[in-house]
């Protein structure tokens, strides 16, 4: 039979042994040192000058003095000398100056939960359940990077499933954002937790945005998608241009407005029945229409009005009419309204 126990090396009292109390007390001392193991520190390199009886330390690499050569061991001051207990795999110890528990892996002391940890449910200051397997009650939750970037991943099995963030008031839904029921991204809101309205949706295949409820815009719009080159497929909402023939305003809907510069009309003196007219002048639109536009205009001279020949897609001819012969027709301004596609 061995003289010591298999795990803690406690000495056995032998048959016919004298002074059995010595062996018994030795075993008690070992139990006192190792059971419910709690040490002062694992980072002190040199034995303290006046340690308290029973004080325990885990010795770091490079420990000096009476501790030298016992790195990793548990050292206990017995009142007169240090005793050293080499750890065995699985031993646990609480480190007082770090307020954490360690475990001996067989090669080193490491954090009790520094390796992979899997639990079925985890509640932090609140109860977790089978649906909410991770539950946290806190004023804030911080997820930060470990070096550079950080991603929060919400994964769903199929497109028709839901992966979203739900915001609640009194456990009743008020807003939700994510991919709910499809791979399109949407933001929905609710006033009562039962009736929902989609405020914004982004199509997964094209990236196109939709505002099903409309939008109220309180500040100015800007950017090339607002004012730029319009087209029938993809372009700006509004386009403005200017040439020597005037200015144009083109909308993505197909409507276009052309404004002429100030055109000086000469004498209105050519008889036209009982009226008088000026010589015809050409106006080339600053941008071409797809079909003949509607032409309107005004003349600054009293008692005169404008006339024009058949409107074409690129321009028209204009004249000024009057009830009387005038040597100066004045200034005329023209507007053409039509479609650019």
């Amino acid at each position: 039979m061995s003289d010591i126990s298999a795990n803690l090396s406690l000495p056995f009292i032998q048959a016919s042994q004298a002074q059995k109390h010595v062996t018994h007390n030795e075993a008690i001392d070992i139990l006192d040192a190792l059971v419910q193991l709690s040490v002062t520190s694992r980072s002190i390199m040199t034995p303290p000058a006046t340690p308290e009886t029973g004080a325990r330390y885990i010795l770091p690499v490079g420990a000096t003095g009476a501790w030298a050569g016992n790195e990793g061991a548990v050292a206990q001051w017995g009142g007169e000398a240090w005793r050293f207990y080499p750890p065995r795999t699985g031993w646990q110890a609480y480190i007082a100056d770090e307020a954490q528990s360690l475990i001996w892996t067989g090669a080193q002391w490491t954090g009790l939960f520094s390796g992979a940890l899997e639990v079925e449910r985890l509640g932090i200051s609140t109860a977790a359940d089978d649906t909410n397997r991770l539950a946290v009650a806190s004023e804030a939750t911080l997820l930060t990077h470990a070096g550079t970037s950080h991603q929060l991943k919400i994964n769903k099995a199929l497109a028709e499933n839901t992966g979203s963030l739900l915001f609640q008031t009194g456990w009743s839904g008020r807003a939700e954002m994510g991919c709910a029921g499809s791979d399109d991204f949407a933001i929905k809101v609710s006033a009562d937790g039962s009736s929902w309205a989609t405020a914004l949706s982004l199509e997964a295949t094209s990236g196109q945005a939709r505002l099903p409820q409309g939008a109220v815009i309180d500040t100015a719009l800007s950017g090339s998608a607002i004012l730029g080159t319009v087209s029938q497929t993809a372009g700006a909402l509004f386009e403005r241009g200017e040439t020597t023939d005037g200015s144009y305003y083109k909308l993505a809907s197909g409507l276009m407005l052309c404004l002429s510069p100030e055109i000086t009309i000469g004498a209105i003196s050519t008889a036209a029945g009982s009226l008088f007219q000026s010589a015809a002048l050409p106006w080339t639109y600053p941008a071409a229409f797809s079909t003949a536009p509607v032409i309107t205009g005004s003349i600054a001279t009293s008692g005169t009005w404008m006339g024009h020949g058949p409107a074409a897609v690129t321009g028209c001819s204009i004249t000024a009419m009057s009830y009387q012969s005038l040597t100066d027709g004045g200034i005329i301004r023209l507007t053409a309204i039509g479609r650019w596609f």
Side-chain angles (χ1 to χ4, degrees):
M1 178 178 176
S2 173
D3 291 339
I4 58 175
S5 66
N7 293 313
L8 294 181
S9 299
L10 303 178
F12 292 137
I13 297 175
Q14 301 299 312
S16 304
Q17 176 182 326
Q19 295 187 323
K20 293 180 173 58
H21 68 281
V22 175
T23 303
H24 174 74
N25 290 343
E26 173 73 9
I28 294 298
D29 281 342
I30 296 174
L31 288 173
D32 185 66
L34 300 181
V35 174
Q36 300 290 353
L37 181 57
S38 175
V39 303
T40 301
S41 178
R42 60 166 174 163
S43 58
I44 296 176
M45 305 294 290
T46 302
T50 56
E52 293 184 2
T53 300
R56 292 171 292 181
Y57 299 83
I58 289 178
L59 305 186
V61 174
T64 62
W67 289 353
N70 293 284
E71 291 86 351
V74 176
Q76 181 192 40
W77 178 250
E80 297 180 356
W82 291 98
R83 299 192 64 175
F84 304 102
Y85 304 96
R88 293 194 175 189
T89 301
W91 279 21
Q92 296 180 25
Y94 179 77
I95 314 301
D97 64 354
E98 298 179 24
Q100 70 160 325
S101 294
L102 302 182
I103 188 170
W104 178 256
T105 65
Q108 62 180 349
W109 289 98
T110 187
L112 189 59
F113 299 114
S114 61
L117 174 65
E118 294 186 10
V119 295
E120 292 185 359
R121 293 184 299 191
L122 176 61
I124 301 176
S125 297
T126 189
D129 54 40
D130 287 340
T131 299
N132 302 290
R133 298 185 184 181
L134 171 62
V136 180
S138 173
E139 293 183 358
T141 301
L142 173 64
L143 302 174
T144 188
H145 65 85
T148 54
S149 303
H150 184 89
Q151 286 185 326
L152 175 63
K153 297 179 174 67
I154 299 177
N155 181 57
K156 59 180 183 175
L158 300 172
E160 59 266 28
N161 299 141
T162 293
S164 67
L165 294 178
L166 178 65
F167 300 86
Q168 298 179 318
T169 298
W171 306 110
S172 176
R174 292 296 181 267
E176 184 176 15
M177 59 188 297
C179 301
S182 74
D183 284 340
D184 296 342
F185 184 86
I187 298 177
K188 302 186 298 182
V189 291
S190 174
D192 56 13
S194 58
S195 298
W196 291 83
T198 300
L200 169 68
S201 65
L202 304 174
E203 190 176 85
T205 55
S206 66
Q208 288 185 334
R210 298 181 184 277
L211 300 171
Q213 313 305 321
V216 177
I217 301 172
D218 295 323
T219 58
L221 293 174
S222 62
S224 59
I226 305 299
L227 179 61
T229 301
V230 299
S231 73
Q232 292 179 253
T233 54
L237 297 175
F238 185 77
E239 180 180 339
R240 181 187 184 279
E242 190 167 353
T243 71
T244 56
D245 296 315
S247 57
Y248 69 89
Y249 302 85
K250 187 184 293 187
L251 302 181
S253 64
L255 182 67
M256 184 167 70
L257 173 70
C258 289
L259 302 178
S260 73
E262 293 184 345
I263 300 174
T264 302
I265 297 294
I268 307 176
S269 57
T270 301
S274 61
L275 302 175
F276 297 89
Q277 68 179 22
S278 68
L281 295 175
W283 178 38
T284 300
Y285 313 134
F289 291 89
S290 61
T291 57
V294 175
I295 309 297
T296 60
S298 63
I299 306 175
T301 304
S302 177
T304 61
W305 66 93
M306 187 204 78
H308 64 82
V313 295
T314 58
C316 66
S317 62
I318 57 173
T319 58
M321 307 293 293
S322 177
Y323 294 110
Q324 57 185 332
S325 177
L326 299 173
T327 57
D328 184 9
I331 301 298
I332 190 170
R333 295 178 177 85
L334 303 169
T335 301
I337 301 176
R339 297 189 63 83
W340 61 271
F341 74 81

